[in-house]
Amino acid sequence: MPSKLLAAALLTATAALAPVPVHLVAAEFQKDASFSDNDQARDLLAEGVKEFRAGRYKAAAAAFNSALKLNPDNQVVYHWYLAAGDALVVQMEGYDELSEVLKDTLRRARIYQRELRTSPKYIELLMGKLAASEEERVVATLELIAVGPLAVPQLLGRLGEDRQDELRAHCRAVLTRMGGRAVLPLTESLKSSDKRLLAGAATVLADIGDARALPRLTALAQSKDLDGTTRIVVQRAISAIRETSGLKDLSASPEAQFFAEAQRYFRGGERVHDEMMAGDVLVWRWKADEADPLKRLAYVKVPRYAWNELMAEQLLFDGLALNPAAPSYQPLLAAVLAAEVAETDARLAAAKERTTPIQNSDEDAAAIGERVAKLKEQILRVRMAGGHLFGALAESIAADRSEVAALVMRQLQDRWLARADLNLPIPGAAAENKAGSVLVAALDHGDKTVRYQAAITLAHLDPAVAFANADKVVGVLSDAVGEWGARVVLVVEADWRYRNAARDHLQSKGYLTYTASDGFDAMQRLDEAPIKDAIVVSGDLSPWLKDEKGRMIDLPQQSGAALALAMLDDPRVGKTPVFVALPEDPLKANALQKTLEAAAAERTAANRPGAVAGFVRKPYAAVDLDNQIQAGLAKSEIPNANRSAAEDVALRACIALQQPDPARTQFDLGRAAEALIKTLDARSDAVRIEALKALANAAQGRSGDRVRTMVGKLTDVYAAQDGELKPALRAAFLLAIGQLDPTTEPAQQIIAKALNHDDAQVRLAAAEAVGHALRIAPELLARFQIAQRLDVRDAGATKPGEQPAAQPAQ
């Protein structure tokens, strides 16, 4: 934090205001209309410090409260904080009488501080202090480091100047001490043509030693436009970074390095998460045409959830600029662009369901909706990849990005993109690396989202060639048709082996599973998608975390027990059952269980949410997890938040079952008949309509005889719902009855009544049901025809509106 010295320097930029004496004690303070609210608040804040130093803590609290009631500008509060000094404020926070009011005071000060740190004028003021006295320079250096990446363009601008060598040295020192936070903007600046700036940026990157700069430095070192001196500086920077990062034997081309970095961002991980949190969620661009040198390095603030993909996208385009023919780039680029669409769509769905206040502006539904609209045609760029989409699918699955894999497979439903007969692997053939092998293998994927979409895609393609796993397509589609409410579970587990085991076990039981490595990551997951059906917290989470320099920090609230109890109080969790995974060590497990039970008793007595929903054992087992979660869900009585997603899966599966030609397909569509019929009782009309169409299609396939025997189930459901069926759904029932068997007695009664229905769509469907019968007795057809005979004898005998001729006398 800035010292009083810097406070004095900064305050000179603001006009000094005469203090307003306080004639009344703070507790009895009344607003004086003769003075501005800011003036009175400033004096009250000073009075609060005076009362604290005199040991009158309640009077100090009253003064601070009175100051805040005046609603002063945050700038006033921030300047008071600077003048008081961090040490004194921390000391005051330690007193119960002052802790609450100081929370609000500091909140206001930090809001202004965040705003101030984005101001170029403020950064310029700090940089001016770098050339002042040593004491001012030290303080300004610390504040510039706190400002972070936003200060890089101006600091970098000084490195490109020929004058002020001492100031250039100080700017270099600030950038070096800023460390990893400065790497991305510095790396982007390597696109400059200014030799002095290139050398300065490369030198700082060498000092920092971060491997993220290697792709751009390697490409720069191989550039034909680089002069000899600058090339030497760049090559030395590459060697220094390799030495620091342990990549001494790195010999990959710059194109390969760009690809590897892009893949790392696409796959995410803890390191990428840490970079995002440290980098203020900015994406940097070099604008070579900008006239002002200080504005050539520009940034764009992006949504947190989009940062990974945007970083990967930029790296891939940088690599493509070096080698447009690089074969590996297009699949990953298609996956990255698809991820931008999938991630934003998922965020919008979560935002619409959010029941708690947003913490960041990018969580707002309107803001996400704006991004969805902007990305409306992004999917066209994905489809341009053509056959590379199989590679994009492989990248998505390798990155464990199920939602992206599903979106890519939806594009592959286009038979001219997929070319299934050419790309799918043939059983028994020599081992051949067919692009479509990844689509076929996805039918066995652990995540049902991937399995379902793989089956849906293959059904749409309906390939003529026999392919591996073809016998699984209809079975997976049957499961998708019966899908109803995918349960979402969050697992918080530090050990990656346990974390992966828990996820795999839960996925095998049909749960949609998210994981987090610690409490901070878990809270981020709650922000991303606040609705969870169950949460499992590892009881042996360590309360020790590392800071950005690798030092250990003791955070008791990050222990397993504390995190589980904190979640019970979190409004985002609500009634979601929270389970605790007990350590394998029996003594530790017993101690933890007793601790939580004692805490539950105390919290219940205080009328707070008290007990965790249950305990699970380590190592995680599928049956134990499933049993505990099902029991917890039964008690929690929370609604299933994912029913609409399940309905969408079922709907698309029903549509997929209509695509194969029953006369020639290799798929046994009849295997899905039972699942289709089960949808007719309690699903949405849209799903039931498509299920009935799929059932009609299955009746014409190779197992049609077996399907047609199920007509009685259709007519039973129709009869039970006859009074409430809407015309479109009624027509779909009639279509299916006609394809299965319209000659049974219940079917005849339904058709006869429908032939006289008020709705023309229903009458048409009833007539087609009779005509679709494979075999119909002449007597039955005659009965329908006689009943439906139209009396058209007089139609056309006269002009419209003309009176008919008089009848002859009898």
Side-chain angles (χ1 to χ4, degrees):
M1 292 295 173
S3 70
K4 290 185 179 180
L5 179 63
L6 181 60
L10 295 175
L11 286 171
T12 58
T14 305
L17 295 172
V20 180
V22 176
H23 300 293
L24 302 174
V25 295
E28 301 172 352
F29 173 79
Q30 293 181 358
K31 183 176 176 179
D32 189 337
S34 303
F35 300 96
S36 74
D37 290 350
N38 283 338
D39 290 346
Q40 295 178 82
R42 184 181 291 106
D43 200 53
L44 282 164
L45 291 169
E47 181 72 15
V49 173
K50 178 181 177 182
E51 294 288 359
F52 172 78
R53 286 177 169 154
R56 294 187 287 270
Y57 306 129
K58 289 184 178 179
F64 292 141
N65 272 313
S66 296
L68 295 181
K69 286 178 182 178
L70 291 169
N71 196 26
D73 293 341
N74 290 337
Q75 181 183 14
V76 171
V77 183
Y78 177 63
H79 285 168
W80 166 82
Y81 167 65
L82 289 176
D86 188 59
L88 179 63
V89 174
V90 170
Q91 183 183 353
M92 288 192 290
E93 281 185 294
Y95 291 84
D96 292 341
E97 297 91 340
L98 293 162
S99 60
E100 287 301 318
V101 68
L102 284 177
K103 284 181 182 178
D104 194 24
T105 308
L106 291 174
R107 180 184 64 82
R108 289 168 174 262
R110 285 163 184 159
I111 289 173
Y112 181 74
Q113 185 181 49
R114 285 195 297 270
E115 295 171 352
L116 191 64
R117 284 176 172 174
T118 64
S119 168
K121 290 184 178 179
Y122 177 67
I123 296 170
E124 195 64 33
L125 175 66
L126 291 172
M127 290 180 61
K129 299 300 176 185
L130 292 177
S133 68
E134 182 177 355
E135 195 171 5
E136 287 179 293
R137 176 169 53 81
V138 169
V139 175
T141 297
L142 294 175
E143 179 63 3
L144 282 166
I145 293 170
V147 170
L150 298 184
V152 172
Q154 285 159 282
L155 290 165
L156 189 62
R158 293 291 185 268
L159 294 185
E161 293 180 354
D162 293 330
R163 57 188 179 81
Q164 295 182 331
D165 288 339
E166 186 177 348
L167 180 57
R168 290 180 69 252
H170 293 323
C171 289
R172 173 180 168 180
V174 173
L175 287 168
T176 301
R177 292 186 62 183
M178 202 178 290
R181 299 177 70 198
V183 168
L184 295 179
L186 285 170
T187 302
E188 187 66 17
S189 74
L190 295 176
K191 295 178 180 179
S192 171
S193 59
D194 184 322
K195 298 172 185 178
R196 192 177 184 88
L197 188 146
L198 287 175
T203 302
V204 175
L205 288 168
D207 293 340
I208 296 172
D210 194 307
R212 287 176 291 169
L214 283 175
R216 176 54 58 188
L217 284 168
T218 306
L220 185 61
Q222 296 180 7
S223 172
K224 297 178 181 178
D225 300 328
L226 208 62
D227 68 284
T229 302
T230 309
R231 192 184 307 278
I232 292 172
V233 174
V234 171
Q235 289 172 340
R236 286 177 177 172
I238 293 171
S239 299
I241 293 173
R242 287 180 179 178
E243 182 76 25
T244 303
S245 58
L247 299 172
K248 299 179 184 178
D249 299 327
L250 183 67
S251 58
S253 66
E255 294 92 333
Q257 292 180 38
F258 276 117
F259 177 84
E261 271 293 280
Q263 192 175 61
R264 181 176 70 84
Y265 280 108
F266 176 64
R267 294 186 177 184
E270 293 179 9
R271 181 181 163 196
V272 170
H273 176 74
D274 291 342
E275 287 178 30
M276 180 186 71
M277 299 306 292
D280 298 322
V281 204
L282 305 176
V283 171
W284 293 86
R285 296 284 183 271
W286 181 260
K287 298 181 178 181
D289 297 333
E290 174 61 51
D292 186 346
L294 295 180
K295 294 182 180 179
R296 287 174 188 163
L297 181 59
Y299 67 88
V300 178
K301 186 174 178 63
V302 301
R304 292 172 305 151
Y305 58 81
W307 186 78
N308 286 25
E309 288 82 16
L310 290 170
M311 288 296 301
E313 178 189 329
Q314 184 59 46
L315 285 160
L316 288 170
F317 278 110
D318 285 346
L320 283 171
L322 292 175
N323 183 8
S328 58
Y329 276 49
Q330 292 298 338
L332 182 57
L333 180 60
V336 168
L337 298 179
E340 292 179 15
V341 177
E343 184 73 29
T344 308
D345 288 344
R347 298 289 172 163
L348 183 59
K352 289 179 178 178
E353 294 176 334
R354 181 181 291 277
T355 57
T356 56
I358 63 171
Q359 302 297 316
N360 298 283
S361 59
D362 59 13
E363 298 167 10
D364 180 71
I368 301 173
E370 180 185 1
R371 185 166 183 80
V372 168
K374 192 74 175 287
L375 288 171
K376 185 177 180 180
E377 295 197 354
Q378 182 78 299
I379 203 68
L380 303 182
R381 280 73 177 168
V382 177
R383 293 176 65 83
M384 284 168 58
H388 293 295
L389 288 175
F390 287 112
L393 174 58
E395 290 285 357
S396 303
I397 290 175
D400 202 18
R401 302 287 298 271
S402 297
E403 75 288 355
V404 182
L407 182 61
V408 171
M409 284 189 282
R410 290 182 74 165
Q411 311 318 306
L412 284 169
Q413 290 176 195
D414 182 338
R415 63 188 65 220
W416 302 115
L417 286 179
R419 305 280 179 179
D421 288 349
L422 296 176
N423 288 317
L424 295 185
I426 300 172
E432 187 178 356
N433 187 20
K434 291 279 188 116
S437 298
V438 64
L439 176 60
V440 170
L443 290 167
D444 293 319
H445 196 274
D447 189 324
K448 61 185 176 182
T449 304
V450 177
R451 291 199 306 274
Y452 291 165
Q453 185 56 55
I456 289 170
T457 297
L458 287 164
H460 275 272
L461 296 174
D462 190 20
V465 62
F467 62 91
N469 263 359
D471 59 318
K472 296 181 179 179
V473 170
V474 177
V476 175
L477 286 174
S478 298
D479 293 340
V481 167
E483 181 64 26
W484 185 260
R487 298 293 193 181
V488 181
V489 179
L490 172 64
V491 177
V492 189
E493 171 62 67
D495 190 309
W496 64 270
R497 292 162 296 187
Y498 282 130
R499 192 162 63 239
N500 290 347
R503 183 188 60 197
D504 293 345
H505 287 318
L506 287 166
Q507 286 182 347
S508 72
K509 290 294 183 180
Y511 294 95
L512 183 60
T513 310
Y514 294 95
T515 60
S517 58
D518 54 46
F520 290 114
D521 195 11
M523 293 305 180
Q524 173 73 11
R525 283 292 188 179
L526 290 178
D527 282 339
E528 291 170 358
I531 298 175
K532 299 287 185 290
D533 294 294
I535 299 172
V536 179
V537 178
S538 172
D540 50 8
L541 284 179
S542 171
W544 293 89
L545 295 177
K546 292 182 179 180
D547 65 11
E548 69 277 4
K549 296 185 178 179
R551 297 173 299 198
M552 300 302 293
I553 307 173
D554 183 12
L555 298 170
Q557 69 272 26
Q558 289 294 302
S559 70
L563 179 62
L565 294 173
M567 283 188 162
L568 293 176
D569 294 323
D570 196 306
R572 293 169 297 181
V573 174
K575 295 182 179 179
T576 299
V578 178
F579 301 87
V580 172
L582 296 173
E584 288 189 83
D585 185 324
L587 294 177
K588 291 182 179 178
N590 187 50
L592 176 62
Q593 191 163 351
K594 287 183 177 179
T595 297
L596 287 169
E597 288 171 352
E602 293 177 5
R603 291 161 67 90
T604 301
N607 199 26
R608 294 171 62 195
V612 296
F615 299 93
V616 296
R617 297 283 175 183
K618 287 189 182 181
Y620 296 106
V623 174
D624 180 34
L625 284 167
D626 187 39
N627 289 343
Q628 292 283 4
I629 290 172
Q630 290 295 345
L633 290 172
K635 295 176 184 177
S636 67
E637 299 180 353
I638 60 175
N640 192 326
N642 307 288
R643 182 160 294 186
S644 60
E647 283 286 318
D648 180 63
V649 168
L651 181 68
R652 290 189 289 108
C654 290
I655 293 172
L657 284 164
Q658 302 168 36
Q659 306 311 307
D661 181 349
R664 55 162 290 278
T665 186
Q666 61 186 299
F667 301 137
D668 183 3
L669 301 175
R671 290 178 57 196
E674 286 286 353
L676 290 167
I677 287 175
K678 287 180 181 178
T679 67
L680 303 181
D681 277 327
R683 305 302 288 269
S684 69
D685 282 3
V687 171
R688 290 193 284 175
I689 288 170
E690 300 303 336
L692 288 161
K693 292 178 183 178
L695 196 60
N697 198 46
Q700 308 308 311
R702 64 190 188 202
S703 55
D705 289 341
R706 178 164 56 85
V707 177
R708 285 189 284 274
T709 63
M710 300 179 182
V711 69
K713 296 181 179 179
L714 258 68
T715 53
D716 288 347
V717 175
Y718 185 100
Q721 301 179 3
D722 190 15
E724 59 191 45
L725 293 175
K726 295 179 181 178
L729 181 55
R730 193 181 297 273
F733 264 105
L734 290 164
L735 167 70
I737 290 171
Q739 295 288 351
L740 270 66
D741 187 358
T743 65
T744 66
E745 187 62 34
Q748 292 180 43
Q749 294 175 11
I750 290 170
I751 292 171
K753 185 177 178 182
L755 284 168
N756 296 297
H757 197 275
D758 293 339
D759 189 89
Q761 181 184 10
V762 174
R763 296 196 300 272
L764 172 62
E768 290 180 340
V770 176
H772 288 166
L774 287 178
R775 294 175 294 275
I776 185 168
E779 299 84 358
L780 176 58
L781 180 58
R783 189 158 69 245
F784 280 129
Q785 293 285 20
I786 291 169
Q788 290 298 305
R789 182 183 180 187
L790 287 176
D791 184 357
V792 297
R793 289 172 296 176
D794 61 348
T798 58
K799 293 180 180 179
E802 184 180 340
Q803 295 296 322
Q807 295 290 328
Q810 297 294 325

